[in-house]
Amino acid sequence: MKALLATFLAATMSVPALADGGNPPMPQDARQTSPVPAASSFDRAAWLADYERIKLGLAEGYANLDWQVERRGLSLKRADQQIRAMLHAATTDAQAMLVLTKLIEMFRDPHLQFQSGPPPGSARLVPTMSSVSASPGRCRDIDEPRAATRLPYARSPGWKAVAGAPFPAGMVGTTGFLRIPSFDEERYAPACDTFGEADPHARRLAARAALNTLLIERIAKLEASGMTRLVIDLSGNGGGSEWSTELAGLLAGGKLERFAPRRVAPACDRRGVWSGEKVCSPYAGAASIETLNGQGRWIGPLALITDGDTASAAEEFVTWLRDNGRAQVVGERTFGAGCGYIDGGTAVALQAAPVHLMMPNCSRYTRDGLNEVEGLLPDVMIDWQRSTPEAAIHAVSEAFDR
């Protein structure tokens, strides 16, 4: 993204940030991946048409748009005026792409992002439909350094390693620590590659089953080492898939309940939201309850470790277990990615550049009515960067004593 912005800023026009007055400043690290359009004759009308397509797509298919207005105070009307003015001032494709990138950066939502090429075939296109080819997933391995925790508890004098990557585990006294670095099955290449010739969805499910078996074996090893309470380290876990829900069930007995993700399916034309009009909800129907039957693989005391990079499906994992009184949370506020792409999410395909905009098509709310995009606060707060091994162990102990 930095190289992309450098190319943009090398253009002849400097594109200003959106002005204050309800809209917060743009983040410097936007986490976007859009390509710089190739130099060509500039077609402002095409970019303005893409902007209208994006506005309609956000109104129809972006799950957190109303939350951005109501909770963060974003002024869509003011943003619309400024984006239009900047597009009318643009003279190159690079400048126009930067303007649209600034719009998306305004929302500070990691699931809302420009990506190269056509949308994936699984995404629902808004505001118009077209056919595209699906891109198969690829196995990518989590190496030993990536799997290992950066947190200080593993440097405690009493630390005894029990197992290594991909799910490092160890003991401090009778407290077992088990790290899950990702909830993306395809990040674990050994398991994923075993089923490499299968359909991508079937491969993911098969890899998930193999990884579940490995995690159960890790828990058994910790129990054999004398574990009486378990800590799951989710630091740096940026999410993945609904596998996180399945693993939450392994760590509980009985039935778990939580608010089901609210999916986008508005019953009205919502384009008026850009002019400040009151429009219908972006969601389909009223909030409902989702249930999960616990498998009871570990039903003893449980704590979860989070940091500022714990996100998306990892936040869902936290909500499942904490909302049901199953676990205490230790660490830092989570990233706040929230719900992402159910059944492929929603997307807007641009016409002026080989780019599409991916949008989260769901929102997840906690028992207390908090949208996960706000980030989840821990029960016991600790600054991991300043923490010592002793402070980390004390924080964990404090969580278990609550």
Side-chain angles (χ1 to χ4, degrees):
M1 182 60 193
K2 291 182 179 179
L4 169 62
L5 290 179
T7 302
F8 281 145
L9 295 175
T12 57
M13 181 190 76
S14 176
V15 178
L18 298 187
D20 292 335
N23 293 333
M26 300 293 184
Q28 293 299 311
D29 180 11
R31 302 171 185 250
Q32 303 290 327
T33 57
S34 54
V36 179
S40 62
S41 57
F42 179 61
D43 186 349
R44 180 177 290 106
W47 285 100
L48 287 168
D50 272 346
Y51 173 52
E52 289 301 316
R53 189 175 293 109
I54 287 173
K55 284 172 54 184
L56 291 174
L58 289 169
E60 178 184 344
Y62 177 37
N64 295 318
L65 186 64
D66 291 17
W67 177 87
Q68 296 274 3
V69 172
E70 295 166 4
R71 297 298 296 270
R72 292 189 54 213
L74 293 187
S75 172
L76 297 181
K77 183 176 182 179
R78 180 173 288 106
D80 181 35
Q81 294 170 344
Q82 294 173 339
I83 292 296
R84 283 181 175 280
M86 286 190 280
L87 285 176
H88 279 289
T91 58
T92 68
D93 286 341
Q95 293 167 3
M97 188 69 226
L98 178 56
V99 171
L100 297 184
T101 300
K102 283 183 173 292
L103 170 70
I104 300 309
E105 287 176 349
M106 176 184 72
F107 295 102
R108 298 181 179 177
D109 186 333
H111 285 127
L112 182 67
Q113 56 178 264
F114 283 118
Q115 297 181 0
S116 302
S122 57
R124 182 175 71 91
L125 297 188
V126 291
T128 58
M129 301 296 293
S130 65
S131 297
V132 293
S133 300
S135 300
R138 294 181 300 168
C139 297
R140 310 176 306 283
D141 198 13
I142 296 179
D143 56 20
E144 187 80 33
R146 171 70 176 171
T149 186
R150 67 176 180 84
L151 304 186
Y153 67 78
R155 301 194 299 272
S156 170
W159 173 259
K160 295 180 180 179
V162 172
F167 303 119
M171 298 281 294
V172 176
T174 61
T175 301
F177 291 79
L178 176 60
R179 174 158 165 74
I180 303 178
S182 175
F183 285 119
D184 182 353
E185 303 92 327
E186 293 184 343
R187 294 296 306 277
Y188 301 92
C192 181
D193 285 336
T194 301
F195 310 97
E197 299 302 319
D199 168 86
H201 179 67
R203 180 179 66 199
R204 183 181 286 272
L205 294 180
R208 182 185 303 178
L211 293 166
N212 285 348
T213 298
L214 184 57
L215 279 167
I216 290 172
E217 290 174 355
R218 290 285 196 272
I219 293 174
K221 284 186 177 182
L222 290 170
E223 288 180 301
S225 299
M227 177 178 69
T228 61
R229 53 191 192 180
L230 174 62
V231 179
I232 302 294
D233 180 357
L234 301 172
S235 62
N237 186 324
S241 73
E242 66 278 7
W243 180 34
S244 64
T245 293
E246 192 170 316
L247 289 184
L250 288 177
L251 301 175
K255 184 172 71 173
L256 304 180
E257 292 185 347
R258 62 154 297 161
F259 286 120
R262 301 200 66 183
R263 299 186 61 165
V264 168
C268 72
D269 183 341
R270 284 175 39 85
R271 72 185 70 197
V273 70
W274 285 92
S275 57
E277 297 177 16
K278 291 291 186 181
V279 295
C280 69
S281 168
Y283 302 122
S288 61
I289 298 298
E290 184 176 18
T291 62
L292 174 67
N293 291 321
Q295 303 302 307
R297 184 56 195 85
W298 173 259
I299 57 174
L302 180 67
L304 309 176
I305 284 178
T306 63
D307 68 358
D309 292 321
T310 304
S312 194
E315 291 169 314
E316 181 177 30
F317 182 84
V318 171
T319 298
W320 267 117
L321 294 170
R322 181 163 66 175
D323 272 13
N324 285 276
R326 179 66 189 94
Q328 293 287 310
V329 181
V330 184
E332 301 167 345
R333 181 193 291 268
T334 63
F335 183 85
C339 195
Y341 315 121
I342 293 180
D343 296 335
T346 51
V348 175
L350 274 63
Q351 304 299 311
V355 178
H356 66 277
L357 174 64
M358 286 300 301
M359 295 179 286
N361 63 340
C362 57
S363 301
R364 285 195 303 259
Y365 290 84
T366 68
R367 177 183 56 196
D368 299 325
L370 179 79
N371 189 331
E372 288 180 6
V373 296
E374 300 181 48
L376 304 176
L377 285 172
D379 300 299
V380 178
M381 181 80 74
I382 185 168
D383 183 345
W384 291 121
Q385 290 189 336
R386 299 181 180 181
S387 174
T388 64
E390 292 76 16
I393 298 301
H394 176 77
V396 169
S397 297
E398 182 180 348
F400 284 116
D401 291 340
R402 291 174 68 90

